[in-house]
Amino acid sequence: MKYYFDFLLAILLTSFSYYLAGLFISNGLAAWQAFIIGFSVVSLGAITEALKSPIWLIILIPFPVGMLLLFLFLNSALLTWFISYVITLGIYTIIHLLMSFFFKFHSLIPAWKLS
């Protein structure tokens, strides 16, 4: 049961980082679009982990999916997409730092455990 809770929490936190970054961009993302990106990215990471892949691959594999979906949903210029993705990564890293340090929740970046 804990795995499913952690999985859902990772999806929600990942989606939240995409949604927040979208708020900084003029047209932004709808909540459902951010959720689709979060679900896709976390699910792909979980599948890669289930296949017993090395940790670097578990972290690397979801990036292109998140990048592509963000580009498609934003429907903006390449520079806008890039800035939005950089903001997303910054927010995602801050969320990971807080969750890992205070709550020992390492599912966002498994190789980077801070506690």
Side-chain angles (χ1 to χ4, degrees):
M1 188 63 160
K2 181 178 176 348
Y3 177 82
Y4 295 109
F5 175 77
D6 289 353
F7 180 72
L8 180 61
L9 185 58
I11 290 172
L12 293 175
L13 292 173
T14 303
S15 300
F16 185 64
S17 67
Y18 278 95
Y19 182 74
L20 276 181
L23 291 177
F24 291 112
I25 304 302
S26 59
N27 58 351
L29 286 175
W32 67 270
Q33 292 172 323
F35 182 78
I36 288 174
I37 297 172
F39 180 81
S40 301
V41 166
V42 173
S43 297
L44 191 55
I47 290 168
T48 308
E49 182 180 20
L51 294 173
K52 307 285 190 228
S53 299
I55 196 70
W56 64 269
L57 197 57
I58 294 169
I59 294 169
L60 181 68
I61 289 289
F63 274 95
V65 172
M67 294 169 82
L68 178 64
L69 288 173
L70 181 64
F71 182 75
L72 294 174
F73 285 144
L74 276 180
N75 196 24
S76 297
L78 198 58
L79 182 61
T80 304
W81 162 80
F82 180 74
I83 292 169
S84 179
Y85 195 73
V86 168
I87 292 170
T88 300
L89 290 179
I91 293 169
Y92 186 82
T93 301
I94 291 168
I95 291 172
H96 166 72
L97 289 169
L98 296 172
M99 293 299 291
S100 183
F101 186 76
F102 291 113
F103 302 105
K104 298 180 183 8
F105 182 76
H106 309 296
S107 292
L108 294 174
I109 308 175
W112 189 17
K113 295 180 180 177
L114 302 179
S115 55

